[in-house]
Amino acid sequence: MSAPHQDDVDDAPEMLDAEDALEEIEDAEGDIAMDSDDEPEEINLHNDSIAYFDAHKDSVFAIAQHPTQPSLIATGGSEGEGDDAPGKGYVFDTSPVVGRPVLPPSYNADPSSQPPKSTELKPLFTIEGHSDSINALAFTLPNGEFLVSGGLDGRLRAYQLSVDGHNKPTFAFLAESQEVPEVNWLAPCPSQKYPNTIALGASDGSVWVYTIDASDSSNPLQIVQSYFLHTEACTAGAWSPDGTFLATVSEDSSLYVWDVWGEAAAKSLVNDNGQTVVSLTGQDQRFGVEGGLYSVAVDPKSTFVAVGGAGGAIKIVSIPRLGVDSQPVSSKQSKAKAKGAEAGSAQGGTILADLHTQSDGIETLSFSPKQTLLAAGSVDGSIAVYDTSRRFALRRHIKEAHEEFSVVKVEFVSGLGDGWLLTSCGMDGVVRRWDVRGAASSTETSLVKEWRGHRGDGEGGGVLGFVQGTTGERIVTAGDDGVVLIFEA
């Protein structure tokens, strides 16, 4: 038996030449590679907030502000990342937060000066009873007598607000309803003729309208209407400012403007279905948006509705005026009758404009309360502003409003800036305010101010919503990072 074959191998460790040992190895960025010392990376977060609320254990999906006591804020989300994590929300008061004085530049430049501390807020009330995330909240109008929560468990829960002699608010559970698989959105009716009315859109495409009446102990949540024309999830809804009509859109690319109170039916202005004054679907090639519709807004005069969808598509559709002799238009009629913005304003269902400035889905729409402006926020990170009095001409396109991150919400400030100021938030974790009075060709920046404090950087750190009252003096945010921040304008 022969011995096993062995190559001539030197058992001594291989040594580098002296010149090789002295060579510095650089990375692709040109920096000298260093051994890792396993120390945690230090991250410096920029925080402009004057106060914060951090009781949530996971993302804050919903936020609402009381209409007459704007310091009362309600927020809702999930209690964890697990599929069985229940939904939970809170109500807190921002009035104890003291604003910061305007400091001279010399103070801010002083390296020894301590940054002002942010005030921690505590909950006044806990919103419970949901077995899945709370993703919609609303106070009823006009006086905020009730707080309503909607969840991914399909529950609609109502709480009654009482204020004692010391102006201390308390909330008490009133009733709940569960008619749908998931609640996607809530919208309070603004009409004083129909107070304490709330609309919701569901994952099964249905739309429901409730009126809350605490005096009826046997049925405090009263169903006013229920609609079932959408064939896929109802993604967004908005009342006309006078509360007469409710506009809803769906993933099936349909738009319906509902005659909730029968005022149009009384004047024979409804479609053949007897429920709507505008009925447009994806079957109409001129109206259809491949990928669906996801945002909707009604102009301040209740004369037309804007809808936004996949691929950056925006459609402008007329709403009939009840005081004018007009006829509603269905999907089949709109293609033949639509002639642009000059079409008669009394005509309902006419496609007035087809806008396509942005490259990705339109997540949010807002009309200025005082100017003829429509703002649209896109997944591509841009904001487009249109002049509704000039055939919806593009007035300004802010292409990197939130860099490459999705714009989640845009909203004009109603009581400041004469309708020119626009607030936006995005998945970059930043809130910004813009002055959009410049022309489209203007080279001047529209940015007035920005506020940072959320983690940012896309999913997990963006701003999922905000409220700013009528004055816009304070902005309260709902963070994907589980934190609510209060910023001072």
Side-chain angles (χ1 to χ4, degrees), residues 28 68 117 132 162 188 213 333 341 367 373 385:
T68 62
K117 293 183 178 180
D132 206 338
S162 302
D213 184 1
Q333 298 170 304
F367 283 100
L373 301 175
V385 181

Side-chain angles (χ1 to χ4, degrees), residues 137-477:
L137 289 165
F139 286 96
T140 59
L141 297 173
N143 299 318
E145 296 177 46
F146 303 97
L147 170 64
V148 183
S149 61
L152 293 180
D153 56 1
R155 287 186 173 92
L156 178 74
R157 291 174 61 85
Y159 302 84
Q160 187 170 14
L161 169 62
S162 302
V163 181
D164 62 17
H166 299 285
N167 205 34
K168 181 180 178 180
T170 57
F171 292 83
F173 173 70
L174 180 65
E176 80 166 33
S177 175
Q178 190 174 13
E179 302 284 352
V180 301
E182 297 177 359
V183 177
N184 284 345
W185 55 266
L186 296 171
C189 178
S191 173
Q192 294 190 6
K193 292 192 297 182
Y194 310 106
N196 301 321
T197 297
I198 201 89
L200 72 83
S203 59
D204 61 0
S206 62
V207 178
W208 300 73
V209 181
Y210 291 84
T211 291
I212 306 173
D213 184 1
S215 65
D216 188 345
S217 58
S218 63
N219 186 29
L221 269 177
Q222 301 169 2
I223 299 175
V224 177
Q225 299 285 359
S226 56
Y227 303 113
F228 303 95
L229 293 183
H230 292 298
T231 60
E232 295 183 37
C234 183
T235 52
W239 291 91
S240 60
D242 58 8
T244 301
F245 300 126
L246 174 67
T248 62
V249 294
S250 168
E251 289 182 357
D252 65 7
S253 191
S254 62
L255 161 68
Y256 295 108
V257 180
W258 309 97
D259 179 31
V260 177
W261 311 109
E263 295 184 25
K267 297 186 177 183
S268 301
L269 294 178
V270 293
N271 296 122
D272 293 340
N273 56 38
Q275 298 176 313
T276 64
V277 294
V278 174
S279 178
L280 295 172
T281 71
Q283 294 178 350
D284 182 341
Q285 294 183 357
R286 188 173 184 270
F287 181 77
V289 175
E290 184 177 355
L293 299 173
Y294 296 93
S295 54
V296 61
V298 183
D299 87 295
K301 296 181 180 179
S302 301
T303 55
F304 51 84
V305 56
V307 300
I314 299 175
K315 311 283 186 176
I316 309 295
V317 181
S318 65
I319 298 175
R321 292 189 297 175
L322 296 185
V324 179
D325 184 17
S326 61
Q327 294 294 324
V329 176
S330 67
S331 260
K332 295 179 180 179
Q333 298 170 304
S334 64
K335 186 174 181 179
K337 292 191 175 182
K339 297 181 180 178
E342 72 274 8
S345 60
Q347 181 69 66
T350 300
I351 300 175
L352 302 178
D354 186 349
L355 311 174
H356 206 129
T357 301
Q358 294 148 295
S359 62
D360 210 336
I362 305 300
E363 290 287 294
T364 173
L365 294 163
S366 177
F367 283 100
S368 171
K370 297 179 180 179
Q371 304 296 330
T372 55
L373 301 175
L374 168 65
S378 171
V379 174
D380 69 8
S382 75
I383 296 173
V385 181
Y386 300 93
D387 189 336
T388 64
S389 67
R390 298 187 178 183
R391 300 191 181 205
F392 304 94
L394 180 66
R395 185 180 185 93
R396 186 173 287 273
H397 187 196
I398 310 170
K399 294 184 179 180
E400 295 183 354
H402 288 270
E403 300 176 356
E404 75 273 19
F405 297 99
S406 174
V407 180
V408 178
K409 180 179 179 179
V410 294
E411 182 183 76
F412 282 95
V413 183
S414 61
L416 183 69
D418 201 26
W420 293 105
L421 295 179
L422 179 73
T423 308
S424 67
C425 69
M427 293 306 292
D428 58 352
V430 185
V431 179
R432 293 185 170 94
R433 181 161 290 168
W434 314 87
D435 188 331
V436 297
R437 75 184 71 220
S441 59
S442 175
T443 58
E444 296 181 6
T445 178
S446 301
L447 184 64
V448 176
K449 191 172 182 179
E450 68 177 21
W451 298 269
R452 297 176 180 267
H454 289 285
R455 189 167 69 234
D457 243 0
E459 185 176 355
V463 181
L464 301 182
F466 66 84
V467 292
Q468 59 180 346
T470 57
T471 64
E473 294 176 354
R474 281 186 175 178
I475 302 168
V476 187
T477 60

Side-chain angles (χ1 to χ4, degrees), residues 47-64 71-77 88-94 97 118-122 137 431 452-455 462-467 475-487:
N47 190 351
D48 297 315
S49 68
I50 60 174
Y52 66 94
F53 179 81
D54 63 352
H56 290 278
K57 295 182 179 179
D58 203 354
S59 300
V60 184
F61 296 125
I63 187 167
S71 63
L72 282 182
I73 305 294
T75 56
K88 198 168 186 179
Y90 301 93
V91 180
F92 56 91
D93 187 1
T94 64
V97 180
S118 191
T119 303
E120 181 181 4
L121 298 173
K122 300 297 183 181
L137 289 165
V431 179
R452 297 176 180 267
H454 289 285
R455 189 167 69 234
V463 181
L464 301 182
F466 66 84
V467 292
I475 302 168
V476 187
T477 60
D480 200 11
D481 52 11
V483 180
V484 179
L485 297 179
I486 294 86
F487 299 107

